[in-house]
Amino acid sequence: ERRTAPGRQEVDASVETGVPELGARGAVAAVPSEPEVVLVAVAALSLGVSFRDGGVDDEHVERLVGSGGQWPAILVRRRDGVVVDGAHRVVAARRLGLDRIEVSWFEGGGDEALIEFVRRNVSHGLPLSLAERKRAASRVLATRPEWSDRRIAEVCGVSPKTVGRIRVDERGRDELPLLEARVRVGRDDRLRPVNSAALRERIAEVL
């Protein structure tokens, strides 16, 4: 007999493949505003490599086990079954002996998956530590150097000044491409000119 998390009618869904990735520089729109939730076999899911410093937190897993499967749907990349958000829930489901778990599909690639994971774990569930959020800001900056400091700060749960310092530090190590661009993409996806004087002052402060 199949065991599933309570509260939802079972749907015969498995991991599908062949979904196109979003563009490497495209906006993060890989999760619909009202995503469909289906039941997927726990055995079909892969946890991938954890972004968290300590990997899976056993105490958090046990708290989830205590809830008996009453948790939100996890987010899974449709093309390969890698869990984008919800690794602790998957581990808890395995300990509970559940065969299936509620899933919402994610349609993006690796860069988009990281951004979505960070955005979801800044404050809910098991929040990322400050060190993890700073590392996330560095990773997002490496893949989205055209994004404004405020936009990256909002996603990663750090201050715009922190992102600015990371931007200048990594530019000094030649790890970021073309950070002197004349425009940046804001939180509303609009292009805005960079304040060159302010940028020079920020570089001088760091140096």
Side-chain angles (χ1 to χ4, degrees):
E1 180 182 356
R2 290 178 175 174
R3 299 186 62 195
T4 62
R8 181 171 295 276
Q9 183 177 358
E10 182 174 348
V11 177
D12 186 14
S14 58
V15 175
E16 299 176 11
T17 59
V19 176
E21 293 187 8
L22 298 182
R25 288 287 181 261
V28 181
V31 183
S33 57
E34 295 183 1
E36 177 189 8
V37 175
V38 296
L39 286 168
V40 173
V42 174
L45 304 175
S46 171
L47 298 184
V49 179
S50 176
F51 181 79
R52 298 180 185 274
D53 291 331
V56 173
D57 185 285
D58 194 66
E59 290 186 6
H60 187 58
V61 171
E62 285 301 314
R63 286 194 292 269
L64 291 169
V65 169
S67 72
Q70 297 286 352
W71 52 61
I74 66 173
L75 187 65
V76 175
R77 194 161 60 191
R78 190 196 294 260
R79 67 183 176 88
D80 56 11
V82 171
V83 177
V84 174
D85 179 53
H88 289 89
R89 281 165 276 173
V90 172
V91 175
R94 290 172 179 170
R95 292 188 185 179
L96 286 168
L98 301 180
D99 293 315
R100 300 200 167 213
I101 190 171
E102 291 183 349
V103 163
S104 293
W105 294 123
F106 181 82
E107 309 289 6
D111 293 344
E112 292 86 1
L114 172 65
I115 292 170
E116 184 64 19
F117 165 79
V118 172
R119 186 186 70 78
R120 287 171 174 244
N121 286 274
V122 164
S123 59
H124 91 100
L126 183 64
L128 296 173
S129 68
L130 178 58
E132 289 166 342
R133 284 180 275 133
K134 286 182 176 179
R135 188 169 75 248
S138 178
R139 290 275 299 274
V140 174
L141 189 54
T143 60
R144 297 290 188 274
E146 73 279 10
W147 279 12
S148 70
D149 293 351
R150 289 184 180 276
R151 181 169 186 173
I152 295 174
E154 183 177 60
V155 169
C156 299
V158 296
S159 71
K161 288 185 177 180
T162 295
V163 177
R165 286 193 293 269
I166 295 172
R167 189 186 293 271
V168 173
D169 287 347
E170 298 197 357
R171 179 52 183 156
R173 295 195 297 269
D174 293 326
E175 294 182 6
L176 294 180
L178 200 61
L179 295 188
E180 295 83 1
R182 298 298 181 185
V183 293
R184 296 262 168 80
V185 182
R187 291 173 291 178
D188 56 0
D189 287 327
R190 296 179 63 183
L191 296 175
R192 290 181 174 82
V194 174
N195 186 330
S196 299
L199 179 60
R200 286 194 296 270
E201 290 177 4
R202 195 165 66 210
I203 293 174
E205 289 176 1
V206 173
L207 296 178

